[in-house]
Amino acid sequence: MHLWISGFFDDDAKDDSLKYKLTVQPEHEAAVLRILGWKSLEESPGGEWLLTCEQVKAISLVVNERLPTNLDIFIGVRA
């Protein structure tokens, strides 16, 4: 299991295709889980969760990757 980040244009856009994707590397998972307030991958909520602007900024720093700010950014657990 791993954390997966995805980005899409907001709901008003006519294009609903995937615009950004990132698999969180294992060495960053614990820090990202803390930002989300999740205890572990196994205990994380199902589905994909929309991140707040603050969470996007914090996760960007942790994973050392600039996440897009012009998209709705989601995170979820993938097998």
Side-chain angles (χ1 to χ4, degrees):
M1 292 182 13
H2 61 274
L3 290 169
W4 193 69
I5 296 172
S6 57
F8 299 88
F9 287 128
D10 67 17
D11 287 339
D12 295 334
K14 296 191 186 312
D15 181 358
D16 63 354
S17 62
L18 179 67
K19 298 298 175 194
Y20 179 81
K21 63 182 178 177
L22 174 73
T23 299
V24 176
Q25 297 302 308
E27 61 267 21
H28 303 301
E29 285 177 353
V32 173
L33 288 170
R34 279 192 299 276
I35 291 166
L36 299 171
W38 299 352
K39 294 181 181 186
S40 68
L41 291 176
E42 293 78 18
E43 295 180 38
S44 64
E48 303 239 343
W49 294 84
L50 179 63
L51 297 174
T52 66
C53 292
E54 293 80 19
Q55 288 171 323
V56 169
K57 290 176 187 174
I59 292 170
S60 281
L61 291 172
V62 167
V63 300
N64 197 27
E65 172 96 19
R66 183 176 285 217
L67 301 179
T69 57
N70 62 329
L71 300 174
D72 285 344
I73 303 294
F74 295 85
I75 195 164
V77 176
R78 296 253 170 135

